[in-house]
Amino acid sequence: MIVLHARPSPGFREAVDTIFGPGTVVHVDEATPLDDVASDITALLHVLTPVTSEFIASAPRLKLIQKLGVGVNTIALDAARDHGVAVCNMPGTNSQAVAEMALSLMMAVLRRTCFFDARTRAGEGWTADPSELDAVGEIAGRTVGLVGFGHSAQRLAPVLAALGAKVVYTARSPRDVPYDFLPLDRLVADSDIVSLHIPLTDETRANVDPFAMKKGAVLVNTARGELVDEAQLVEALSTGHLRGAGLDVFAEEPLPRGHPLLGLPNAVLAPHIAWLTPETLVRSLTVAQENCRRLAVGEPLLHQVV
């Protein structure tokens, strides 16, 4: 049995049936535990709901956890390894969507899109305090620091450069690219916009300090919420140390009601959907279907992590 544990849109469901065949994949809502299918499941199509060691131990037929995306921090990798369960991801399938979302968040913060949208809808767009316009800005002329230089950052960098930004980056090692390589601490300190494009690991957790960023800088995060200390980020935004932030990811998801980020007008927020476009789904489900086919016939799996 192949199970998709998610809350798919109608288009998502249609893509699953088109690529796998109607009825091939069992849909289980992400809010529903997998207990009822644990004994029969052989392949799990995983989105965001954590795959725990307890679930893996309760699923004797499970042979594959296929991440629809890149980050595998929500999967109990050691338990998968101990139980002989393969874990695969799919680097590159969502890179275009994530790069475009990062760019849109940068622009939304700099041009205060949400602020002026709300004012315009309320009939106040032309009567708002003119000083509000002093807080907008352009990407051109700013230094944009890319933390990580994987597929999404590589797509984003030339677009930013074409808009007139100075692009700098940090990675495990310098690349042969026309952008300056900087160590993380210097990149964070020197950049007008810091955009995160790295996985969450023990080494990267909370390693971007909002108060180490330039006063008036912008933080964009389409990677993982825990890369930044969220309490520090709230304080940096509340006190005006940061101009703003564009956030698609959070330490706790869904973001709880009453969370202080929800009340900050200089934060542009999205519900972890940077990766999620119809085009990404087709690319992702094609890889997932191929790995399920390979699993069935005993061929090597694509992008195996464990």
Side-chain angles (χ1 to χ4, degrees):
M1 177 190 292
I2 303 172
V3 171
L4 170 65
H5 197 204
R7 183 169 294 172
S9 66
F12 196 165
R13 288 179 179 271
E14 182 179 353
V16 170
D17 287 343
T18 297
I19 291 169
F20 280 85
T24 301
V25 175
V26 175
H27 298 264
V28 177
D29 190 278
E30 63 186 7
T32 303
L34 291 168
D35 300 347
D36 291 344
V37 297
S39 61
D40 297 319
I41 186 171
T42 56
L44 174 64
L45 307 184
H46 164 64
V47 181
L48 287 173
T49 303
V51 182
T52 65
S53 57
E54 291 78 12
F55 166 72
I56 293 172
S58 73
R61 298 184 180 181
L62 182 63
K63 297 300 180 185
L64 170 64
I65 301 170
Q66 175 66 66
K67 170 72 177 186
L68 299 184
V70 181
V72 293
N73 58 290
T74 49
I75 302 170
L77 298 179
D78 289 342
R81 187 179 293 108
D82 292 344
H83 286 83
V85 178
V87 176
C88 298
N89 66 355
M90 43 186 65
T93 56
N94 63 18
S95 301
Q96 183 69 32
V98 172
E100 291 186 9
M101 184 65 161
L103 179 62
S104 72
L105 288 171
M106 292 177 197
M107 290 181 165
V109 173
L110 287 173
R111 298 308 299 266
R112 306 187 68 195
T113 305
C114 297
F115 174 87
F116 285 110
D117 175 84
R119 294 301 183 277
T120 304
R121 291 175 188 273
E124 302 170 358
W126 285 265
T127 60
D129 183 347
S131 67
E132 298 287 1
L133 292 169
D134 293 339
V136 304
E138 300 177 352
I139 285 178
R142 284 183 159 81
T143 298
V144 181
L146 304 176
V147 180
F149 206 70
H151 294 286
S152 62
Q154 290 170 28
R155 289 177 183 265
L156 182 58
V159 178
L160 293 168
L163 287 171
K166 176 184 178 181
V167 177
V168 298
Y169 74 99
T170 190
R172 289 192 180 93
S173 59
R175 310 292 182 86
D176 184 17
V177 292
Y179 316 111
D180 291 339
F181 172 87
L182 298 177
L184 177 62
D185 56 350
R186 185 177 163 197
L187 179 145
V188 168
D190 291 354
S191 298
D192 301 297
I193 302 171
V194 174
S195 186
L196 307 185
H197 300 269
I198 53 175
L200 178 66
T201 66
D202 290 341
E203 291 73 29
T204 62
R205 189 181 303 275
N207 71 344
V208 176
D209 179 359
F211 284 100
M213 294 172 60
K214 291 173 66 172
K215 182 172 176 57
V218 171
L219 176 71
V220 171
N221 192 356
T222 54
R224 288 294 183 268
E226 297 96 321
L227 295 172
V228 183
D229 184 313
E230 211 160 76
Q232 290 284 91
L233 176 58
V234 168
E235 184 178 353
L237 291 168
S238 301
T239 60
H241 178 76
L242 292 185
R243 170 192 291 259
L247 308 172
D248 183 59
V249 289
F250 308 92
E252 181 181 353
E253 296 177 352
L255 199 61
R257 292 184 182 276
H259 193 285
L261 281 171
L262 296 172
L264 295 177
N266 55 346
V268 177
L269 312 177
H272 204 145
I273 56 170
W275 68 282
L276 189 53
T277 64
E279 295 87 351
T280 287
L281 288 176
V282 169
R283 291 189 292 264
S284 300
L285 291 170
T286 300
V287 174
Q289 191 277 334
E290 174 62 14
N291 263 352
C292 288
R293 184 197 69 78
R294 291 178 178 226
L295 180 71
V297 299
E299 294 180 5
L301 300 174
L302 301 172
H303 312 302
Q304 186 166 350
V305 177
V306 169

